[in-house]
Amino acid sequence: MSVRGIDHVGVTVPDVEAATDFLVRAFDAEVLYDTLRADEPPKEGPATTGRLGVPGTAREVRIRMLALPGGPGIELFAFDHVDQDDPAVPSDLGWQHLALYVDDLDATLERVVTAGATALGEPRPLPGPEAGDRNRFVYVRTPWGSTVELLTYPDPQPYEEQTSRRRWHP
């Protein structure tokens, strides 16, 4: 087996066009293609339920793939005819946030907030084994409620003294 990295992250959103607008303005994402366009019939029934493990009434109504500059894709999904929970927060079980490495944390945070996100505090120093003079992070909430971490660690980190293995980043 040879895992090479993250190909894409799937995100269910209430409005694919609004989410696309946010991701383009906030992160320079680029639309690659629509797997399921708005003018196509929804995907539903036993095949959809079996493939995704969603409730039997759920209908996929939009699927769009975007690419982040120098990073993985973000696949947007929209469903109807199904009750939906609020977006997960970090205390919920399961995948809880998307972390994006950035070169300029302050400029990126300003851009993301201007695009419609809400900052969950001010940028803070990375702690413990990730510490370094310029190593910082901040969490934001997207317009649809998902959590994104923005982080940068240009300085050496203390964990690097304990192992030759390095965490991957673009």
Side-chain angles (χ1 to χ4, degrees):
M1 182 175 88
S2 174
V3 175
R4 296 179 58 190
I6 293 174
D7 178 77
H8 69 274
V9 175
V11 181
T12 298
V13 298
D15 182 326
V16 167
E17 294 302 330
T20 297
D21 180 65
F22 170 76
L23 293 167
V24 168
R25 290 188 305 122
F27 302 120
D28 283 334
E30 184 177 339
V31 175
L32 295 180
Y33 52 84
D34 287 338
T35 306
L36 180 58
R37 297 184 320 268
D39 62 351
E40 294 180 296
K43 294 182 180 179
E44 61 185 315
T48 298
T49 300
R51 178 172 44 89
L52 297 174
V54 297
T57 59
R59 298 183 336 156
E60 285 179 289
V61 294
R62 294 289 305 276
I63 306 172
R64 173 174 287 162
M65 182 66 78
L66 295 94
L68 293 172
I74 296 182
E75 188 174 23
L76 301 177
F77 292 83
F79 290 84
D80 70 6
H81 288 81
V82 66
D83 290 331
Q84 293 179 311
D85 293 331
D86 291 333
V89 296
S91 58
D92 291 328
L93 296 176
W95 307 107
Q96 55 158 279
H97 72 275
L98 171 67
L100 300 175
Y101 188 92
V102 301
D103 293 319
D104 186 333
L105 185 64
D106 297 313
T108 303
L109 177 60
E110 182 178 331
R111 179 179 178 166
V112 168
V113 168
T114 298
T118 302
L120 300 177
E122 297 293 323
R124 306 173 48 123
L126 283 169
E130 300 173 329
D133 289 342
R134 298 177 296 158
N135 300 351
R136 301 182 306 143
F137 74 105
V138 64
Y139 286 94
V140 301
R141 189 81 20 90
T142 66
W144 60 88
S146 293
T147 305
V148 175
E149 179 183 6
L150 306 174
L151 76 158
T152 189
Y153 43 93
D155 293 333
Q157 298 177 311
Y159 86 87
E160 294 172 354
E161 297 173 11
Q162 308 301 315
T163 179
S164 60
R165 176 76 173 147
R166 299 294 179 260
R167 65 190 284 179
W168 181 88
H169 71 83

